[in-house]
Amino acid sequence: MNLNFNPQHIVILTGAGISAESGIRTFRDANGLWEDHDIMEVASPQGFDRDPELVHRFYNLRRQQLLSDEVHPNQAHLSLAKLEEDFKGKLSIITQNVDNLHEQAGSKNVIHMHGELLRMKCVETGKSLLNKRDIHVETPCPCCLKTGNLRPDIVWFGEYPMHMAKIEEELSQCDLFISIGTSGVVYPAAMFVQLAKSNGAYCIEVNLEQTQVSDDFDMHMQGPATETVENLVKLILS
Ligand code: NAD
């Protein structure tokens, strides 16, 4: 396998699959449930309006897991951090993941389009704040001092992803686009390949299996991210 060109600007899109081998379960692999919950129950504004305490409990557990000794960046996160360090051109990672495993691995240029587990947001002021603790309905907001005003700083279904102007700019300028561990069914991330391709980028997909958007890519690397990403990084740096 070889690339046949020297990329100057790489954009990498990552999804839940890159963190699966770190012990964080993906979204859709288990019958469309996320950690045994209907996704609309725990990942929509309507679900939060209906039962905010359940939604807080769900993200409290995800945050506790991320901060525990059980979860560490895996070889795929580490390989991407090495690529960022050694690559001479421009590189950015757009992640749909709400974990911070890219940052823990040492990646610097990471855009979280769906928010972060380690942040919370005040619904009154819109302010986003770092947070490592559990949140409950009665937790007072450090910014407006009221209770009931905090929510996870996560983009839910029906909400607009973060940093889209920056992401579109990156996708229109890159010459190599790589998508890792994402099912290609969550929009707008699912159409990033088309955007990158229409601007002339070479597009590579890395996944355990074929996805709904595999045909849009120039190359598909099949296998667990911990193995395939390391090989891909060697290929790019060689
Ligand atoms: P998804 O769960 O819809 O799809 C996961 C994809 O990863 C699948 O295509 C699967 O084949 C692939 N995959 C699974 N294990 C893999 C492995 N070891 N190596 C390579 N590929 C593997 O995930 P998505 O497309 O990212 O969309 C889900 C949404 O859920 C995201 O928006 C994200 O915010 C949220 N989510 C985040 C996390 C996290 O932060 N780690 C976890 C679950 C869900």
Side-chain angles (χ1 to χ4, degrees):
M1 200 188 324
N2 97 47
L3 261 189
N4 285 332
F5 77 109
N6 285 323
Q8 305 297 316
H9 183 165
I10 306 176
V11 171
I12 301 164
L13 171 69
T14 63
I18 197 169
S19 297
E21 290 166 86
S22 292
I24 301 182
R25 280 165 68 181
T26 60
F27 218 4
R28 242 158 277 273
D29 294 346
N31 308 322
L33 300 179
W34 189 3
E35 296 280 353
D36 306 322
H37 286 275
D38 180 325
I39 52 173
M40 295 311 277
E41 207 175 87
V42 293
S44 74
Q46 296 81 357
F48 188 58
D49 286 346
R50 234 179 344 258
D51 193 344
E53 197 52 43
L54 177 136
V55 175
H56 280 312
R57 198 161 57 237
F58 176 80
Y59 290 98
N60 288 344
L61 290 172
R62 309 279 76 74
R63 192 181 310 105
Q64 285 169 19
Q65 184 199 24
L66 181 61
L67 293 171
S68 76
D69 287 340
E70 289 163 36
V71 171
H72 302 283
N74 63 47
Q75 192 53 50
H77 300 104
L78 295 168
S79 298
L80 292 185
K82 178 172 169 45
L83 178 62
E84 184 176 343
E85 201 174 300
D86 294 355
F87 180 61
K88 301 280 179 267
K90 196 173 168 200
L91 181 146
S92 55
I93 295 175
I94 302 166
T95 188
Q96 297 169 88
N97 294 343
V98 295
D99 65 53
N100 67 347
L101 295 180
H102 285 303
E103 288 89 342
Q104 282 193 44
S107 289
K108 304 268 184 308
N109 201 6
V110 184
I111 302 171
H112 281 271
M113 64 178 290
H114 289 164
E116 296 175 64
L117 270 178
L118 301 187
R119 300 194 77 87
M120 60 187 177
K121 189 161 88 177
C122 172
V123 295
E124 197 163 303
T125 63
K127 210 173 199 172
S128 170
L129 305 150
L130 276 174
N131 174 54
K132 291 190 172 179
R133 300 203 181 145
D134 285 358
I135 313 173
H136 300 280
V137 173
E138 66 278 8
T139 307
C141 170
C143 124
C144 70
L145 306 176
K146 295 181 190 159
T147 58
N149 266 355
L150 287 172
R151 60 164 278 181
D153 197 5
I154 304 273
V155 176
W156 287 327
F157 282 94
E159 296 181 322
Y160 198 66
M162 299 172 182
H163 315 296
M164 281 308 291
K166 168 87 181 130
I167 290 172
E168 280 169 22
E169 186 188 314
E170 293 274 340
L171 290 167
S172 67
Q173 292 172 356
C174 67
D175 54 4
L176 177 59
F177 172 73
I178 303 168
S179 169
I180 305 169
T182 175
S183 54
V185 298
V186 178
Y187 280 82
M191 58 168 217
F192 288 177
V193 56
Q194 285 153 14
L195 206 61
K197 206 167 177 176
S198 65
N199 287 294
Y202 188 77
C203 300
I204 303 177
E205 180 179 56
V206 178
N207 202 298
L208 265 188
E209 55 191 30
Q210 292 280 325
T211 68
Q212 285 186 23
V213 291
S214 289
D215 288 346
D216 293 335
F217 288 84
D218 300 295
M219 188 195 288
H220 176 85
M221 293 177 76
Q222 197 149 336
T226 48
E227 292 169 21
T228 40
V229 176
E230 194 176 8
N231 292 336
L232 178 59
V233 166
K234 280 187 191 145
L235 186 76
I236 295 168
L237 292 176
S238 66

